[in-house]
């Protein structure tokens, strides 16, 4: 099943910079290296999840 949080890309919006690429003080975000994206933790950056995990993600919405 396609991972919902990353829409199957394996990359999710960086929570430290809110996907903007700039950290505190407007310098480059250290968590995502300025790209605004990090590896999705829900699918371990694969873009796919098991049916059981997908159902749990749906419940959390």
């Amino acid at each position: 099943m396609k991972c919902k949080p990353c829409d199957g890309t394996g990359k999710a919006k960086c929570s430290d910079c809110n996907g903007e690429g700039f950290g505190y003080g407007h310098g480059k975000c250290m968590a995502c290296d300025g790209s605004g994206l990090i590896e999705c933790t829900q699918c371990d950056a694969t873009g796919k999840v098991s049916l059981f995990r997908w159902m749990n993600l749906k419940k959390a919405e």
Side-chain angles (χ1 to χ4, degrees):
M1 305 294 300
K2 184 167 76 168
C3 179
K4 285 282 189 188
C6 69
D7 200 31
T9 63
K11 297 282 184 180
K13 185 168 60 169
C14 177
S15 59
D16 286 358
C17 67
N18 202 26
E20 295 177 8
F22 300 104
Y24 181 74
H26 300 288
K28 183 168 72 169
C29 178
M30 300 306 275
C32 65
D33 200 31
S35 69
L37 298 172
I38 56 172
E39 290 184 353
C40 181
T41 56
Q42 297 295 324
C43 64
D44 297 324
T46 62
K48 297 179 182 177
V49 292
S50 67
L51 179 59
F52 179 72
R53 185 177 251 180
W54 185 82
M55 288 175 26
N56 284 337
L57 289 173
K58 289 292 279 184
K59 287 179 184 178
E61 290 178 345

Coordinates of all heavy atoms in Angstrom, one line a residue:
M1 N 0.8 -1.2 0.0 CA 0.0 0.0 0.0 C 0.9 1.2 0.0 O 1.9 1.3 0.6 CB -0.9 0.0 1.3 CG -1.7 -1.2 1.5 SD -3.0 -1.5 0.3 CE -4.0 -0.1 0.4
K2 N 0.4 2.3 -0.7 CA 1.2 3.5 -0.7 C 1.1 4.3 0.6 O 0.0 4.4 1.2 CB 0.6 4.4 -1.8 CG 1.4 5.7 -2.0 CD 1.0 6.4 -3.3 CE -0.3 7.1 -3.2 NZ -0.6 8.0 -4.3
C3 N 2.2 4.7 1.1 CA 2.3 5.5 2.3 C 1.6 6.8 2.2 O 1.8 7.6 1.3 CB 3.8 5.7 2.7 SG 4.0 6.6 4.2
K4 N 0.7 7.1 3.1 CA -0.1 8.3 3.1 C 0.7 9.5 3.5 O 0.6 10.6 2.8 CB -1.3 8.2 4.0 CG -2.4 7.3 3.4 CD -3.2 8.1 2.4 CE -4.4 7.4 2.0 NZ -5.0 8.0 0.9
P5 N 1.5 9.5 4.6 CA 2.2 10.8 5.0 C 3.1 11.3 3.9 O 3.2 12.5 3.7 CB 3.0 10.4 6.2 CG 2.2 9.2 6.8 CD 1.6 8.5 5.6
C6 N 3.8 10.4 3.2 CA 4.7 10.9 2.1 C 4.2 10.8 0.7 O 4.9 11.1 -0.3 CB 6.1 10.2 2.3 SG 6.0 8.4 1.8
D7 N 3.0 10.3 0.6 CA 2.3 10.0 -0.7 C 3.1 9.1 -1.6 O 3.2 9.3 -2.8 CB 2.0 11.4 -1.4 CG 1.0 11.3 -2.4 OD1 0.1 10.4 -2.3 OD2 1.0 12.0 -3.4
G8 N 3.8 8.2 -1.0 CA 4.6 7.2 -1.8 C 5.9 7.6 -2.3 O 6.6 6.9 -3.0
T9 N 6.4 8.8 -1.9 CA 7.7 9.3 -2.3 C 8.8 8.9 -1.5 O 10.0 8.9 -1.9 CB 7.7 10.8 -2.4 OG1 7.5 11.4 -1.1 CG2 6.6 11.4 -3.3
G10 N 8.6 8.5 -0.2 CA 9.6 8.2 0.7 C 10.2 9.4 1.4 O 11.1 9.3 2.3
K11 N 9.8 10.6 1.0 CA 10.2 11.8 1.6 C 9.1 12.6 2.2 O 8.0 12.7 1.6 CB 10.9 12.7 0.6 CG 12.1 12.1 -0.1 CD 13.3 12.3 0.8 CE 14.6 11.8 0.2 NZ 15.7 11.9 1.0
A12 N 9.2 13.1 3.4 CA 8.2 13.9 4.1 C 8.7 15.3 4.4 O 9.9 15.5 4.4 CB 7.8 13.2 5.4
K13 N 7.8 16.2 4.6 CA 8.2 17.6 4.9 C 8.9 17.6 6.3 O 8.5 17.0 7.2 CB 6.9 18.5 5.0 CG 7.2 19.9 5.2 CD 6.0 20.8 5.0 CE 4.9 20.5 5.9 NZ 3.8 21.5 5.9
C14 N 10.0 18.3 6.3 CA 10.9 18.5 7.5 C 10.1 19.2 8.6 O 9.5 20.3 8.4 CB 12.1 19.2 7.2 SG 13.2 19.5 8.6
S15 N 10.0 18.6 9.8 CA 9.3 19.2 10.9 C 10.1 20.3 11.6 O 9.5 21.2 12.2 CB 8.9 18.1 11.9 OG 10.0 17.5 12.4
D16 N 11.4 20.3 11.4 CA 12.2 21.3 12.1 C 12.0 22.7 11.4 O 12.0 23.7 12.0 CB 13.7 21.0 12.1 CG 14.0 19.9 13.1 OD1 13.1 19.5 13.8 OD2 15.1 19.5 13.1
C17 N 12.0 22.7 10.0 CA 11.9 24.0 9.3 C 10.5 24.1 8.6 O 10.3 25.1 7.8 CB 13.0 24.1 8.3 SG 12.9 22.9 6.9
N18 N 9.6 23.2 8.8 CA 8.3 23.2 8.2 C 8.4 23.1 6.7 O 7.6 23.7 6.0 CB 7.5 24.4 8.7 CG 6.0 24.2 8.5 OD1 5.5 23.0 8.5 ND2 5.3 25.3 8.3
G19 N 9.4 22.5 6.2 CA 9.5 22.3 4.7 C 10.1 23.5 4.0 O 10.2 23.5 2.8
E20 N 10.6 24.5 4.7 CA 11.1 25.7 4.1 C 12.6 25.6 3.8 O 13.1 26.4 3.0 CB 10.8 26.9 4.9 CG 9.3 27.2 5.0 CD 9.0 28.3 5.9 OE1 9.9 29.1 6.4 OE2 7.8 28.5 6.2
G21 N 13.3 24.8 4.5 CA 14.7 24.7 4.3 C 15.6 25.6 5.1 O 16.8 25.6 5.0
F22 N 14.9 26.5 5.9 CA 15.7 27.4 6.7 C 15.4 27.1 8.2 O 14.2 27.0 8.6 CB 15.3 28.9 6.4 CG 15.6 29.3 5.0 CD1 14.5 29.3 4.1 CD2 16.9 29.5 4.6 CE1 14.8 29.7 2.8 CE2 17.1 29.9 3.3 CZ 16.1 29.9 2.4
G23 N 16.4 27.1 9.0 CA 16.2 26.8 10.4 C 16.1 28.1 11.2 O 15.9 29.2 10.7
Y24 N 16.3 28.0 12.5 CA 16.3 29.1 13.4 C 17.3 30.1 13.0 O 18.5 29.8 12.7 CB 16.5 28.6 14.8 CG 16.5 29.7 15.9 CD1 15.3 30.3 16.2 CD2 17.7 30.2 16.4 CE1 15.2 31.3 17.2 CE2 17.6 31.2 17.3 CZ 16.4 31.7 17.7 OH 16.4 32.8 18.6
G25 N 17.0 31.4 12.9 CA 17.9 32.4 12.5 C 18.0 32.5 11.0 O 18.9 33.2 10.5
H26 N 17.2 31.8 10.3 CA 17.2 31.9 8.8 C 18.4 31.3 8.1 O 18.7 31.6 7.0 CB 16.9 33.3 8.3 CG 15.6 33.8 8.7 ND1 14.4 33.4 8.3 CD2 15.3 34.8 9.7 CE1 13.5 34.0 8.9 NE2 14.0 34.9 9.8
G27 N 19.2 30.5 8.8 CA 20.3 29.7 8.2 C 19.8 28.4 7.7 O 18.6 28.1 7.9
K28 N 20.6 27.7 6.9 CA 20.2 26.5 6.3 C 19.8 25.5 7.4 O 20.5 25.3 8.4 CB 21.3 25.9 5.5 CG 20.9 24.6 4.7 CD 21.9 24.3 3.7 CE 23.2 23.8 4.3 NZ 24.1 23.2 3.3
C29 N 18.6 24.8 7.3 CA 18.2 23.8 8.3 C 19.2 22.7 8.3 O 19.5 22.1 7.3 CB 16.8 23.3 7.9 SG 16.1 22.1 9.0
M30 N 19.6 22.3 9.5 CA 20.5 21.2 9.7 C 19.9 19.9 9.6 O 20.5 18.9 9.3 CB 21.2 21.4 11.1 CG 22.0 22.7 11.2 SD 23.1 23.0 9.9 CE 24.5 22.2 10.5
A31 N 18.6 19.8 9.9 CA 17.9 18.5 9.9 C 17.7 17.9 8.5 O 17.9 16.7 8.3 CB 16.6 18.6 10.6
C32 N 17.4 18.8 7.6 CA 17.1 18.4 6.2 C 18.2 18.9 5.2 O 18.1 18.7 4.0 CB 15.8 18.9 5.7 SG 15.6 20.7 5.6
D33 N 19.2 19.6 5.7 CA 20.3 20.1 4.9 C 19.8 21.1 3.9 O 20.3 21.2 2.8 CB 21.1 19.0 4.2 CG 22.5 19.5 3.8 OD1 23.0 20.3 4.5 OD2 23.0 18.9 2.8
G34 N 18.7 21.8 4.2 CA 18.2 22.9 3.4 C 17.2 22.5 2.3 O 16.7 23.3 1.6
S35 N 17.0 21.2 2.2 CA 16.1 20.7 1.1 C 14.6 20.8 1.5 O 13.7 20.8 0.6 CB 16.4 19.2 0.8 OG 16.0 18.4 1.8
G36 N 14.3 20.9 2.8 CA 12.9 20.9 3.2 C 12.2 19.5 3.4 O 11.1 19.4 3.8
L37 N 13.0 18.5 3.0 CA 12.4 17.1 3.0 C 13.4 16.2 3.8 O 14.6 16.4 3.8 CB 12.3 16.6 1.6 CG 11.3 17.3 0.7 CD1 11.5 16.7 -0.7 CD2 9.9 17.2 1.2
I38 N 12.8 15.3 4.5 CA 13.5 14.3 5.3 C 12.9 12.9 4.9 O 11.9 12.8 4.3 CB 13.4 14.5 6.8 CG1 12.0 14.5 7.3 CG2 14.2 15.8 7.2 CD1 11.8 14.6 8.8
E39 N 13.6 11.8 5.3 CA 13.1 10.5 5.0 C 11.9 10.2 5.8 O 11.9 10.6 7.0 CB 14.2 9.5 5.3 CG 15.4 9.5 4.4 CD 16.4 8.4 4.7 OE1 16.2 7.7 5.7 OE2 17.3 8.2 3.9
C40 N 10.9 9.7 5.2 CA 9.6 9.4 5.9 C 9.8 8.3 7.0 O 10.4 7.2 6.6 CB 8.6 9.0 4.9 SG 7.0 8.6 5.7
T41 N 9.4 8.6 8.2 CA 9.6 7.6 9.2 C 8.5 6.5 9.3 O 8.7 5.4 9.7 CB 9.7 8.2 10.6 OG1 8.5 9.0 10.8 CG2 10.9 9.1 10.7
Q42 N 7.3 6.8 8.7 CA 6.2 5.9 8.7 C 6.5 4.7 7.8 O 6.1 3.6 8.1 CB 4.9 6.6 8.2 CG 4.5 7.7 9.1 CD 4.1 7.2 10.5 OE1 3.5 6.2 10.6 NE2 4.4 8.0 11.5
C43 N 7.2 4.9 6.7 CA 7.4 3.8 5.7 C 8.9 3.5 5.6 O 9.3 2.7 4.7 CB 6.9 4.2 4.4 SG 7.7 5.6 3.6
D44 N 9.8 4.1 6.5 CA 11.2 3.9 6.4 C 11.8 4.3 5.1 O 12.7 3.6 4.5 CB 11.6 2.4 6.8 CG 11.2 2.1 8.2 OD1 11.3 3.0 9.1 OD2 10.8 0.9 8.5
A45 N 11.2 5.3 4.5 CA 11.7 5.9 3.2 C 11.5 5.0 2.0 O 12.1 5.2 1.0 CB 13.1 6.4 3.3
T46 N 10.6 4.0 2.1 CA 10.3 3.2 1.0 C 9.1 3.6 0.1 O 9.0 3.2 -1.0 CB 10.1 1.7 1.4 OG1 8.9 1.7 2.3 CG2 11.2 1.2 2.2
G47 N 8.2 4.4 0.7 CA 7.0 4.8 0.0 C 5.9 3.8 0.1 O 4.8 4.1 -0.4
K48 N 6.2 2.7 0.7 CA 5.1 1.6 0.9 C 5.0 1.2 2.3 O 6.0 1.1 3.0 CB 5.4 0.4 0.0 CG 5.5 0.8 -1.5 CD 5.8 -0.4 -2.3 CE 5.9 0.0 -3.8 NZ 6.3 -1.1 -4.6
V49 N 3.8 0.8 2.7 CA 3.6 0.3 4.0 C 2.7 -1.0 3.9 O 2.0 -1.2 3.0 CB 2.9 1.3 5.0 CG1 3.8 2.5 5.3 CG2 1.6 1.8 4.4
S50 N 2.8 -1.8 5.0 CA 2.0 -3.0 5.0 C 0.5 -2.6 5.2 O 0.2 -1.5 5.6 CB 2.4 -3.9 6.2 OG 2.1 -3.3 7.4
L51 N -0.4 -3.5 4.9 CA -1.8 -3.2 5.0 C -2.2 -2.9 6.4 O -2.9 -1.9 6.7 CB -2.6 -4.4 4.5 CG -4.2 -4.3 4.6 CD1 -4.7 -3.1 3.8 CD2 -4.8 -5.5 4.2
F52 N -1.6 -3.6 7.4 CA -1.9 -3.3 8.8 C -1.5 -1.9 9.2 O -2.2 -1.2 9.9 CB -1.1 -4.4 9.7 CG -1.3 -4.2 11.1 CD1 -2.6 -4.5 11.7 CD2 -0.3 -3.7 11.9 CE1 -2.8 -4.3 13.1 CE2 -0.5 -3.5 13.3 CZ -1.7 -3.8 13.9
R53 N -0.3 -1.5 8.8 CA 0.2 -0.2 9.2 C -0.6 0.9 8.4 O -0.9 1.9 9.0 CB 1.7 0.0 8.8 CG 2.3 1.3 9.2 CD 3.7 1.4 8.9 NE 4.5 1.3 10.2 CZ 5.8 1.3 10.3 NH1 6.5 1.4 9.2 NH2 6.3 1.3 11.5
W54 N -1.0 0.6 7.2 CA -1.8 1.6 6.4 C -3.2 1.8 7.1 O -3.7 2.9 7.2 CB -2.1 1.0 5.0 CG -2.8 2.0 4.1 CD1 -2.3 3.0 3.4 CD2 -4.2 1.9 3.8 NE1 -3.2 3.6 2.7 CE2 -4.4 3.0 2.9 CE3 -5.2 1.1 4.2 CZ2 -5.7 3.2 2.4 CZ3 -6.5 1.4 3.7 CH2 -6.7 2.4 2.8
M55 N -3.8 0.7 7.7 CA -5.0 0.8 8.4 C -4.9 1.7 9.6 O -5.7 2.5 10.0 CB -5.6 -0.5 8.7 CG -6.1 -1.2 7.4 SD -6.7 -2.9 7.5 CE -7.2 -3.1 9.2
N56 N -3.7 1.5 10.3 CA -3.5 2.3 11.5 C -3.3 3.7 11.2 O -3.7 4.6 12.0 CB -2.3 1.7 12.3 CG -2.6 0.5 13.1 OD1 -3.7 0.2 13.4 ND2 -1.6 -0.3 13.3
L57 N -2.6 4.0 10.1 CA -2.4 5.4 9.6 C -3.8 6.1 9.3 O -4.0 7.2 9.6 CB -1.5 5.5 8.4 CG 0.0 5.2 8.7 CD1 0.7 5.1 7.3 CD2 0.6 6.2 9.6
K58 N -4.7 5.3 8.7 CA -6.0 5.8 8.4 C -6.8 6.2 9.6 O -7.5 7.1 9.7 CB -6.8 4.8 7.6 CG -6.3 4.6 6.1 CD -6.6 5.8 5.3 CE -8.0 5.8 4.8 NZ -8.3 6.9 4.0
K59 N -6.6 5.3 10.7 CA -7.3 5.6 12.0 C -6.8 6.9 12.6 O -7.6 7.6 13.3 CB -7.1 4.4 12.9 CG -7.9 3.2 12.6 CD -7.7 2.1 13.6 CE -8.4 0.8 13.2 NZ -8.1 -0.3 14.1
A60 N -5.5 7.2 12.4 CA -4.9 8.3 13.1 C -5.4 9.7 12.4 O -5.2 10.7 13.0 CB -3.4 8.2 13.0
E61 N -5.9 9.6 11.2 CA -6.3 10.8 10.5 C -7.5 11.5 11.1 O -8.3 11.2 11.6 CB -6.6 10.5 9.0 CG -5.4 10.2 8.2 CD -5.7 9.8 6.8 OE1 -6.9 9.6 6.4 OE2 -4.7 9.8 6.0

